[in-house]
Amino acid sequence: MTQGLEHRTDALIIGSGAAGLTLAIKLADFAKVIVIAKSKLKDGSTYYAQGGVAAVFDEDDSIDSHVEDTLIAGAGLCDRNSVHFTASHARDALEWLIGQGAHFDQETGSDGQHRYHLTREGGHSHRRILHSADATGKEIQLTLQQQARLHPNITVLEGFNAVDLITAKKLDKSQSDRVVGAYVLNRASGQVETVRANFVTLATGGASKVYQYSSNPDVASGDGIAMAWRAGCRVANMEFNQFHPTCLFHPDARNFLLTEALRGEGAQLKRPDGTRFMPGIDPREELAPRDIVARAIDYEMKRLGADCMYLDISHKPAEFITKHFPTIYERCLELGIDITTSAIPVVPAAHYTCGGVMTDLNGATDLPGLYAIGEVAYTGLHGANRMASNSILECLVFARAAANAIVEQLDAAKDRPELPLPHWDESQVVDSDEHVVIAHNWHELRLFMWDYVGIVRTDKRLQRALRRVEMLEAEIRQYYSNFKISNDLLELRNLVQVAELIIRCAMERKESRGLHFTLDYPELSSDPAPTILSPR
């Protein structure tokens, strides 16, 4: 596999969540695969997903209904073809996952037959969410990990950061451009290694770490989006950052998400005085789409000067709560909150990046040989707001589609002449003597993104944010050129790039739609279109 510091493989997959591991397993019968994970294999967003996966399993439900619900939640910006493609392949993808060993909760019907217990979440008109109690992501992640580790054609490299993509044109300007590999940082040795691959797939997740408050794990730093942009790929709809309405408000659990399934099963949002506020906001009350619920919580907090609002499911039987939400019950109890008797303090937090690297329905990007799947990608599925439990579904459906597309090209790729890949050159750089620069810039970036490019925006706030991000970019470029790279420097470099893309997309959208709400343009445009940025 290794020749010096060069790894060779047919397909390199950057990211180890539901998207990356599904692709690896589907490809491994036909090709050699390397999967790199920035930290441990499970440390991405998939493992922490609570709610479930949307698919039509109920005979009273339909694919058309799933499509229409998604289009409504997407606020007029979804691509209908992408939505239909995803919904129509949902059940096959779930049945494949079940075949890999994933277990979802079941119940016994009045006819005595066992069937999957389907829950309902915001935006859905039917119960169509398959789940494994309130730890669905953990079940999916561990199932896929087990299968990936067993396959002889899959090599897993944990503790590796992708640095940048290597393209043919960068090596030889006379070449037709395509991806030929990537530089990766071995965090254990501190050395940058080279991976040669005919196909590279970005499955790096989203960029919610760009905000001060996020429900995401620390690895969600927009790496794939930034790398694809630097390699010449277009991005779209980066202004649509989903803020999950209900993240636990507690100093010892800043990233702990409270699944939307709580509201699906009757939990109510309340002010500190115990009164509800969602009935006066939207006829769907607590089951309104996430952008509406998050703005309502944000508004009430600012109006009252309150640190948080409250989510209350204590009116349900204690046995029901502990059976359906054991993870949340136990975690809250550790923090002194008994959710069977008390309301839970909640705040909105950055949760999901609805935009990303533009792809087709096979996950292919603008750069030949480069694919993007999962949260890193813009497929047109989510539009201006992602509907609950369509995220892991997108990972599964598009990973399977990408696998089919890559398999069809494997033979032709093997006949392509190899280009020499230069090793990483760090002869002109030194160890940093001022790590405080990274820490300071990191804090500044996340703070002004939260204050100026958060749940509610204005032109002035966006202009302030753009000025600050441009200054940070210049400083980080200089720092990157002079010092040896590290995990923190790579993540900061990528987050600053993604922050600029978010700001520029937000500045182009002169309306309020879905997750993008601006006081300067509160009305909907009559002719909405995706916001597309091109580096070329």
Side-chain angles (χ1 to χ4, degrees):
M1 180 192 72
T2 308
Q3 182 180 353
L5 291 177
E6 180 176 296
H7 307 268
R8 289 171 172 259
T9 188
D10 297 312
L12 169 64
I13 300 170
I14 303 172
S16 60
L21 293 180
T22 297
L23 176 61
I25 294 164
K26 291 290 288 182
L27 282 179
D29 287 341
F30 307 94
K32 294 285 187 182
V33 179
I34 289 178
V35 176
I36 70 168
K38 191 191 294 186
S39 185
K40 296 294 185 185
L41 202 60
K42 69 176 180 62
D43 284 348
S45 295
T46 296
Y47 183 84
Y48 298 97
Q50 296 173 351
V53 189
V56 174
F57 275 76
D58 190 325
E59 60 185 20
D60 293 329
D61 196 3
S62 70
I63 290 171
D64 285 345
S65 177
H66 189 178
V67 169
E68 289 306 313
D69 289 347
T70 302
L71 292 173
I72 292 167
L77 270 190
C78 297
D79 180 276
R80 181 177 280 272
N81 288 336
S82 178
V83 176
H84 190 271
F85 177 82
T86 307
S88 60
H89 287 85
R91 183 160 182 163
D92 284 348
L94 266 293
E95 288 176 341
W96 174 83
L97 184 62
I98 292 163
Q100 299 298 306
H103 295 282
F104 296 101
D105 288 2
Q106 297 191 25
E107 62 182 355
T108 304
S110 56
D111 56 2
Q113 298 294 311
H114 291 291
R115 57 175 64 92
Y116 289 108
H117 177 267
L118 303 173
T119 190
R120 182 182 172 194
E121 297 183 356
H124 291 273
S125 58
H126 290 79
R127 286 181 171 266
R128 64 169 69 99
I129 315 300
L130 273 74
H131 63 100
S132 182
D134 60 349
T136 308
K138 180 178 179 180
E139 174 67 20
I140 292 170
Q141 180 71 28
L142 295 181
T143 297
L144 294 173
Q145 279 184 197
Q146 182 179 32
Q147 294 299 324
R149 290 193 186 280
L150 289 172
H151 205 294
N153 274 354
I154 298 175
T155 300
V156 174
L157 301 177
E158 294 180 294
F160 277 73
N161 279 56
V163 179
D164 257 326
L165 300 168
I166 306 171
T167 63
K169 223 164 197 42
K170 284 181 184 176
L171 303 176
D172 181 351
K173 292 198 184 324
S174 69
Q175 294 285 326
S176 297
D177 210 8
R178 66 174 291 107
V179 72
V180 293
Y183 291 117
V184 298
L185 172 67
N186 182 332
R187 293 174 65 176
S189 69
Q191 300 299 306
V192 176
E193 303 174 11
T194 306
V195 181
R196 179 190 292 276
N198 288 320
F199 300 93
V200 177
T201 299
L202 302 170
T204 52
S208 287
K209 201 174 177 180
V210 77
Y211 288 101
Q212 185 176 19
Y213 302 109
S214 168
S215 67
N216 285 193
D218 283 343
V219 295
S221 52
D223 303 333
I225 297 169
M227 284 190 291
W229 176 260
R230 290 194 292 265
C233 296
R234 292 172 299 161
V235 300
N237 279 13
M238 291 297 296
E239 70 270 37
F240 296 114
N241 308 278
Q242 188 176 79
F243 291 82
H244 197 287
T246 53
C247 203
L248 179 63
F249 180 70
H250 194 282
D252 297 331
R254 296 178 68 87
N255 289 49
F256 191 71
L257 191 70
L258 296 163
T259 174
E260 193 157 334
L262 279 162
R263 286 177 281 131
E265 296 295 346
Q268 298 172 342
L269 283 162
K270 296 181 177 180
R271 302 180 182 94
D273 66 2
T275 58
R276 294 177 66 192
F277 54 90
M278 283 310 299
I281 300 292
D282 191 281
R284 292 164 289 190
E285 301 178 349
E286 279 79 6
L287 288 177
R290 289 176 178 176
D291 59 320
I292 295 171
V293 180
R295 273 200 303 277
I297 295 172
D298 183 67
Y299 174 79
E300 289 294 324
M301 287 170 58
K302 288 174 178 171
R303 184 178 72 85
L304 297 172
D307 291 331
C308 62
M309 291 291 114
Y310 292 86
L311 185 65
D312 191 359
I313 197 170
S314 64
H315 54 278
K316 290 281 188 177
E319 183 182 357
F320 175 89
I321 296 169
T322 55
K323 177 185 177 183
H324 287 280
F325 305 107
T327 307
I328 293 171
Y329 172 74
E330 290 166 10
R331 181 65 176 130
C332 287
L333 205 58
E334 290 172 4
L335 300 168
I337 305 165
D338 183 348
I339 68 172
T340 66
T341 59
S342 305
I344 312 164
V346 296
V347 291
H351 180 60
Y352 193 87
T353 306
C354 286
V357 184
M358 292 189 73
T359 75
D360 64 13
L361 294 183
N362 291 322
T365 72
D366 293 332
L367 181 64
L370 180 67
Y371 289 74
I373 51 175
E375 191 177 351
V376 68
Y378 166 78
T379 63
L381 171 63
H382 305 306
N385 184 21
R386 176 179 71 82
M387 189 166 69
S389 290
N390 273 351
S391 51
I392 292 180
L393 175 62
E394 182 183 36
C395 293
L396 300 172
V397 168
F398 282 86
R400 285 157 54 86
N404 293 336
I406 291 170
V407 167
E408 289 181 0
Q409 303 171 69
L410 284 171
D411 289 342
K414 288 174 181 175
D415 295 335
R416 194 179 298 119
E418 282 192 351
L419 294 171
L421 302 188
H423 290 305
W424 184 261
D425 181 12
E426 55 179 30
S427 60
Q428 305 300 311
V429 298
V430 297
D431 288 322
S432 171
D433 57 354
E434 286 190 310
H435 289 290
V436 69
V437 172
I438 295 177
H440 177 86
N441 287 352
W442 187 286
H443 176 71
E444 182 182 348
L445 171 70
R446 299 180 78 198
L447 185 60
F448 76 65
M449 285 298 289
W450 183 263
D451 288 341
Y452 298 151
V453 201
I455 295 174
V456 178
R457 302 162 179 175
T458 67
D459 283 350
K460 277 190 177 179
R461 292 175 190 174
L462 294 175
Q463 288 159 5
R464 289 190 191 108
L466 184 61
R467 285 195 297 270
R468 281 160 174 76
V469 84
E470 286 174 339
M471 288 191 295
L472 283 183
E473 282 180 316
E475 193 167 313
I476 291 162
R477 270 196 302 272
Q478 183 181 23
Y479 195 97
Y480 185 82
S481 301
N482 293 321
F483 298 110
K484 290 183 179 179
I485 62 174
S486 65
N487 173 64
D488 287 349
L489 176 56
L490 289 175
E491 288 192 339
L492 178 60
R493 179 190 184 217
N494 291 334
L495 280 174
V496 168
Q497 178 61 78
V498 169
E500 185 205 343
L501 297 174
I502 292 170
I503 295 163
R504 291 193 182 279
C505 281
M507 293 177 83
E508 286 201 14
R509 186 162 294 281
K510 306 298 185 185
E511 63 164 348
S512 289
R513 182 179 297 275
L515 301 166
H516 173 74
F517 185 82
T518 169
L519 297 175
D520 292 310
Y521 306 97
E523 303 301 323
L524 288 169
S525 164
S526 59
D527 187 24
T531 307
I532 298 172
L533 301 181
S534 173
R536 298 178 191 272

